[in-house]
Amino acid sequence: PAAALPLLKAQLKAESGSNRRWWLKVAIQECEENQPKPGEISASPAESNGLQVCEACKSGDGLFDVIERNSVPCWDVPKKGYYLYFSASDAFRQKNRHALEIQVEYLDAGNGDIALDYDSSDPRAPVGGAYKNHSTAIHRTNNVQWRTAKFHLPDARFNGSENGHSDFRFYNGGDDMIIRDVRVWPLYADD
């Protein structure tokens, strides 16, 4: 996105056809949405930037494999009832951020929901807030397209209170859950 954005904007200025202008605007919007946010941490099976999948959780309910889909490495949680756990870096945790956004890119294949549990400051949530279930779930429709979903966390704690000292997890509520990218960023620059 960083390399393509200036080229797309220059082409938009030079373009006169309305159909081409529309497509250029869509491409520009896509690039802008995929630029790293201030303070963002991210993880994919290919690289980690301040966020890691929890390998230690594989021996419990965090069963996953790394597979390839269209030559892109992905995490595959193969069974209903298992989770994919993530841990933020100590540097991210030390900033004591409370309002966060989590974005997940997943393959909308098969059926079943994908739910998010996160380490929160809500004392009413299970285990003193460690496993708060987000009110929004992803409902897969088996259209076999890559989709992006965002979760707003107004009360994130991220103290490593979940299994394997992790901070959040995605629950597989159906067929194979395939995820290729996860990003987390603070909603406010000073948070």
Side-chain angles (χ1 to χ4, degrees):
L5 198 54
L7 299 172
L8 290 167
K9 287 182 176 181
Q11 184 63 37
L12 180 63
K13 287 180 182 178
E15 190 60 53
S16 60
S18 64
N19 190 33
R20 288 179 145 218
R21 287 182 62 79
W22 184 87
W23 282 107
L24 286 165
K25 287 178 183 178
V26 168
I28 288 169
Q29 181 180 359
E30 183 76 18
C31 285
E32 289 175 343
E33 287 177 0
N34 286 318
Q35 290 230 8
K37 316 292 187 282
E40 178 181 287
I41 58 175
S42 62
S44 71
E47 69 179 292
S48 173
N49 179 25
L51 185 67
Q52 294 184 340
V53 71
C54 181
E55 290 283 342
C57 296
K58 287 175 84 170
S59 63
D61 62 356
L63 181 65
F64 72 89
D65 291 309
V66 175
I67 63 168
E68 281 198 12
R69 283 291 168 105
N70 301 329
S71 301
V72 176
C74 309
W75 293 293
D76 177 18
V77 178
K79 294 183 180 181
K80 180 179 181 175
Y82 283 92
Y83 298 89
L84 186 61
Y85 287 85
F86 290 89
S87 300
S89 67
D90 288 338
F92 187 85
R93 288 178 181 163
Q94 289 170 356
K95 292 184 179 173
N96 202 24
R97 296 174 165 134
H98 303 289
L100 301 175
E101 189 105 339
I102 294 178
Q103 176 179 296
V104 59
E105 192 171 0
Y106 66 97
L107 185 62
D108 189 356
N111 294 295
D113 290 347
I114 298 173
L116 171 70
D117 293 330
Y118 66 97
D119 189 5
S120 78
S121 60
D122 183 353
R124 298 167 295 171
V127 193
Y131 292 93
K132 183 170 185 177
N133 183 258
H134 196 278
S135 60
T136 303
I138 299 168
H139 306 290
R140 290 181 280 172
T141 60
N142 198 29
N143 70 6
V144 195
Q145 298 291 317
W146 287 103
R147 302 273 186 215
T148 301
K150 291 181 184 175
F151 299 87
H152 173 71
L153 313 180
D155 57 352
R157 182 174 55 191
F158 282 29
N159 283 335
S161 302
E162 293 189 357
N163 293 346
H165 303 289
S166 60
D167 298 298
F168 63 94
R169 64 187 185 176
F170 292 104
Y171 171 74
N172 181 10
D175 298 324
D176 283 18
M177 178 174 71
I178 300 171
I179 293 175
R180 71 177 180 187
D181 185 68
V182 177
R183 298 169 185 264
V184 180
W185 63 87
L187 287 175
Y188 310 108
D190 60 344
D191 192 15

